[in-house]
Amino acid sequence: MKTLYLRIVFTTIFVMILSGIIAFILANFYYQNKLKPFNDSKVTRLSKDIVNFYEKNQEILLNDYLENTADLGYQLYIVDPNGQGFFYGGEFRNKEMDSEIIQNVLNGHVYHGILDFPSSAFITGFFDNVLTNTIGVRMTVDGKNYALFIRPNLDMQFGEMRIFFSVLLILSLIVSILFVIISTRYIVKPIIKLTDATKRISTGKYDIQLDMKRRDEIGKLAEHFKEMAKNLEQLESMRQEFVSNVSHEIQAPLASIQGFSNTLQSDTLPEEQRKHYLAIIEAETKRMSQLSKQLLMLASLDKEEHLIKKSTFNVAEQIKQVIFMSEWSWQEKEIAIDLSLPTTFIYADQHLLHQVWTNLLTNSIKFTPIGGTISIRLTEQENDCIVEVQDTGIGIAQSELANIFNRFYKVDQARTPSEIGSSGLGLAITKKIVELHSGQISVTSQIGNGTTFRIQLPRM
């Protein structure tokens, strides 16, 4: 069974057969424990009625009476006082009867052969046509005792019904198997489509069309599969774009370094110009170093659960430390720093949040003109802490706000000569770190009126 279709078909047929066997065994058990005593009692009453009727009407010939009784649907065996036996009605499969049993019946004891008939796992005693499977009663004829053994003639009483039920059972089994074969193909068909779709995805083709309108588990699986294919396509597109952006970001400084290195080989180059070119080479080298560090950090952040190392610390002191470390850059531009940082303890990764405040403050300093202001506010709201970093910089257009957290995205309208060292990864890293802490980051901005970043983090 190498296919799911054959596996389901054969499994269903096996279950049907096994269920039939178990049902037959249980039915046989029910007969042995419930119906057999009832049948024994019923046939015993019937046998006594047959004997009583004849004993009260002995003017009827015994032979005629027994033949008529047999014609009504019974198998009879009678033994006269001399030990000679006579059969009436249908033939017994086994005609052996112990002489001791016959003698007991002649002595007036009732023989309960149906009740005492041995049980069998696959043969229901009621249908076993043997002489021992009868009821034996004494019958007095002209003052002489006879032993009469009686059982229903099932071939006569239920012959047509047994054939009918046998045909019904066989037809039901055949029709059930046919329906299993047809219905299984209906069940397996969408799985075959999903298998073909999987093969297409493995070859890099993500345009999957699964026209399924089913609302069962397979229908839901198909819907989730289409969503997965769409996400894989987007992921592949993002991967290609990521590789292209990385290549571009690396190629640009390499081209500058190569060009200025060739220029520096000239012996006629003035010293002042030589120093300028060397400064550019140094700046481009730092830019490549920063890019590699940020790429490594993004790779680490994508692992998520293996990265977070939380501890309890004062986030206000951490922000002040970041401001102190970047003092030379905001003082150089004569930027005023407005702080509102009450003591607030949170349970988070101290190293990663340090990177968040550094990225946000660096951006604000970069895009705030000389003499501008940067405001940092820290507030508590229920179980969260909220940090707002607001500047009076050049701002960001509304059409650009939705993309500023994308990797390698740069806002062209907001670029200045001082942005040469930017890789477009800082805000992507910031958002990723905030999300790893189950927090949220949002931004509001207007061209010429500055930008405000709002970070909401759970304190615990």
Side-chain angles (χ1 to χ4, degrees), residues 280-294:
I280 294 176
I281 291 174
E282 181 183 9
E284 294 291 355
T285 304
K286 291 181 179 179
R287 177 183 170 189
M288 290 185 63
S289 176
Q290 180 188 15
L291 176 63
S292 64
K293 290 179 181 179
Q294 290 179 329

Side-chain angles (χ1 to χ4, degrees), residues 260-429:
F260 289 118
S261 296
N262 291 334
T263 304
L264 288 172
Q265 295 178 12
S266 174
D267 296 333
T268 60
L269 191 67
E271 184 64 22
E272 183 179 350
Q273 196 169 2
R274 184 186 301 275
K275 291 181 179 180
H276 176 67
Y277 291 161
L278 286 172
I280 294 176
I281 291 174
E282 181 183 9
E284 294 291 355
T285 304
K286 291 181 179 179
R287 177 183 170 189
M288 290 185 63
S289 176
Q290 180 188 15
L291 176 63
S292 64
K293 290 179 181 179
Q294 290 179 329
L295 288 173
L296 287 173
M297 174 167 281
L298 276 175
S300 298
L301 290 173
D302 287 336
K303 295 180 181 179
E304 297 187 4
E305 69 275 5
H306 302 294
L307 182 72
I308 297 292
K309 296 180 181 179
K310 293 185 177 182
S311 61
T312 301
F313 63 95
N314 186 351
V315 69
E317 287 297 326
Q318 186 183 55
I319 296 175
K320 291 176 183 179
Q321 182 183 10
V322 171
I323 295 172
F324 175 76
M325 293 176 63
S326 60
E327 183 178 0
W328 63 271
S329 56
W330 52 265
Q331 281 192 351
E332 184 181 19
K333 296 181 69 173
E334 300 179 358
I335 296 175
I337 304 295
D338 182 18
L339 302 179
S340 177
L341 302 173
T343 299
T344 303
F345 287 90
I346 66 171
Y347 182 68
D349 190 303
Q350 191 169 356
H351 172 72
L352 293 180
L353 286 188
H354 188 280
Q355 185 67 47
V356 169
W357 317 133
T358 300
N359 290 347
L360 293 178
L361 184 60
T362 301
N363 273 357
S364 294
I365 294 173
K366 184 183 299 182
F367 298 115
T368 299
I370 295 175
T373 302
I374 296 176
S375 300
I376 302 178
R377 298 281 184 271
L378 174 60
T379 58
E380 295 183 33
Q381 182 178 342
E382 295 183 354
N383 296 324
D384 297 332
C385 74
I386 299 173
V387 178
E388 292 185 349
V389 180
Q390 182 179 10
D391 61 54
T392 57
I394 58 179
I396 304 172
Q398 293 298 315
S399 59
E400 305 285 350
L401 288 178
N403 300 314
I404 63 172
F405 294 109
N406 294 340
R407 299 179 182 186
F408 295 105
Y409 187 81
K410 300 175 183 178
V411 183
D412 294 336
Q413 294 89 334
R415 297 188 68 179
T416 66
S418 63
E419 197 198 356
I420 295 175
S422 175
S423 64
L425 294 175
L427 289 179
I429 292 174

